[in-house]
Amino acid sequence: GSGSKLGREYPVRAFRLGGPVELAWLLDYIPDSNGEQQRLEGLMRKSRLSLAEAKEKYPDWYERRIVKKERRGRWTVKRDLYDWWLHRIADEIRVGHRFYGIMTLAIYAKKCGIDEDELRRDAFALLRPYDDMSVEDINRFTKDDVVCALEMFNEDYVTFPRDDIAKLSGLTMPVNKRNFQRQADHLEIARAIRDIKAKQQGKKDWREGNGRPKGSGTAQVRVYEWRQQYPEGRKADCHRETGLDPKTVRKWWDCPPPAVCFENGHITVQVSPSQELSDWLLDALHNGGQE
């Protein structure tokens, strides 16, 4: 009875085939080369404890979780994680993973203590660019998709595994390895290696040859000028007409060029035209002519 991707007029139909099966039978279909079978068997053993057995075996847990109704203890992560993930799912997500991108954003919002109103604003801001990615009417991205994905804004999902998030979102989740060292010690070693490599390459400073390539800032100007010409235009239209990469368009969409820039020995200052500015320039030119 639920509506399908085609709309409410195309409800989902389900068919019952066969009867219930034992979990042990399903385990035979999972390869055990990576330890998945053992991990699942361990979870099954834990889940078979009755409340009476759990009360006797884990009295402290029973008191906190069953009697006092306390949630599982955890710590709140800095919001940097949320901002980093929001940036990634805005720039790197692909069709087939859009729903899961917002779903995992909701998980990280709860994990980082982000207010639900802020999460909803950020999620619905992705609706239009996500829908622009659709190549067929059958896979349009709708408000219902966003609403359903936001249901993961729940304390029960804050421990959702990182590897599962990577699979669902289609984005890599590299592990930060410090080899069990303190951050300060790890960075000291990393900087020493960086300086040695720079010396081997004949550089006086590791910054030589780094930085933004020459001319790379022109994309920001092109996006800005296109938006000035077409204030009601969409990112997809800008991509088609300028030939810029969609990620580049999204990056500079709400970022006008700086008012002052320095390039090739010249300083350029952007000013907004006005009658007052025009009169001032005419007076300056007139006075300069008299001198």
Side-chain angles (χ1 to χ4, degrees):
S2 302
S4 68
K5 280 283 188 178
L6 297 176
R8 294 293 180 184
E9 62 273 22
Y10 296 95
V12 174
R13 298 179 65 190
F15 300 88
R16 183 186 299 276
L17 297 175
V21 297
E22 297 290 335
L23 287 176
W25 179 78
L26 291 176
L27 284 177
D28 293 336
Y29 291 89
I30 299 177
D32 59 356
S33 57
N34 56 0
E36 281 296 306
Q37 281 194 9
Q38 291 83 349
R39 186 175 73 86
L40 292 173
E41 287 173 352
L43 291 175
M44 289 168 60
R45 283 194 297 270
K46 290 181 180 179
S47 65
R48 290 191 182 118
L49 279 179
S50 66
L51 277 180
E53 293 172 332
K55 180 179 180 180
E56 181 180 353
K57 193 169 185 179
Y58 307 107
D60 294 338
W61 173 88
Y62 186 87
E63 179 69 21
R64 287 185 294 101
R65 301 297 302 279
I66 306 302
V67 178
K68 296 182 179 180
K69 306 294 184 182
E70 294 181 4
R71 288 189 175 273
R72 178 188 297 177
R74 69 175 183 90
W75 61 86
T76 300
V77 181
K78 292 194 300 182
R79 71 166 294 138
D80 295 8
L81 172 65
Y82 174 83
D83 294 334
W84 170 75
W85 190 248
L86 176 61
H87 178 75
R88 290 200 66 189
I89 65 172
D91 290 345
E92 303 175 39
I93 209 73
R94 292 292 180 266
V95 173
H97 300 280
R98 295 171 294 182
F99 175 85
Y100 298 112
I102 295 180
M103 185 190 83
T104 51
L105 180 70
I107 293 174
Y108 282 151
K110 177 60 72 172
K111 195 178 187 73
C112 299
I114 303 299
D115 185 73
E116 185 175 2
D117 291 337
E118 180 180 356
L119 167 65
R120 294 183 67 85
R121 287 195 301 270
D122 292 339
F124 278 99
L126 295 171
L127 176 60
R128 187 166 181 176
Y130 276 17
D131 190 38
D132 288 343
M133 297 180 189
S134 305
V135 293
E136 299 176 351
D137 287 339
I138 195 174
N139 69 350
R140 298 299 296 268
F141 198 77
T142 67
K143 290 183 179 179
D144 288 341
D145 293 323
V146 177
V147 172
C148 291
L150 290 179
E151 291 181 3
M152 295 294 280
F153 186 71
N154 189 306
E155 192 71 28
D156 294 333
Y157 301 115
V158 293
T159 56
F160 206 79
R162 177 173 53 187
D163 291 343
D164 292 342
I165 288 178
K167 292 177 183 177
L168 292 173
S169 65
L171 304 178
T172 58
M173 298 284 285
V175 180
N176 293 325
K177 294 184 178 179
R178 295 206 300 261
N179 298 323
F180 306 101
Q181 296 174 329
R182 293 187 302 113
Q183 184 181 39
D185 296 336
H186 174 76
L187 291 177
E188 183 178 3
I189 295 172
R191 292 180 183 125
I193 295 174
R194 177 198 65 195
D195 294 338
I196 293 172
K197 288 184 177 180
K199 184 177 180 181
Q200 291 174 342
Q201 296 170 359
K203 297 180 180 180
K204 294 182 179 179
D205 190 278
W206 64 270
R207 298 177 180 83
E208 292 182 19
N210 293 322
R212 189 177 71 184
K214 184 178 179 181
S216 63
T218 57
Q220 182 181 14
V221 176
R222 290 175 64 187
V223 173
Y224 175 76
E225 291 177 346
W226 188 90
R227 293 203 68 186
Q228 293 293 106
Q229 187 175 0
Y230 305 100
E232 300 298 325
R234 303 182 307 160
K235 296 183 182 72
D237 300 328
C238 181
H239 157 63
R240 282 193 293 268
E241 295 186 16
T242 62
L244 294 171
D245 187 272
K247 290 190 292 185
T248 303
V249 174
R250 291 196 293 271
K251 177 180 179 181
W252 299 120
W253 189 252
D254 295 314
C255 299
V260 180
C261 61
F262 180 82
E263 189 173 359
N264 298 328
H266 301 282
I267 296 178
T268 303
V269 181
Q270 292 186 6
V271 295
S272 300
S274 65
Q275 186 62 48
E276 183 180 358
L277 176 61
S278 178
D279 294 341
W280 182 85
L281 289 173
L282 288 174
D283 291 341
L285 291 171
H286 179 72
N287 294 334
Q290 286 182 342
E291 294 177 0

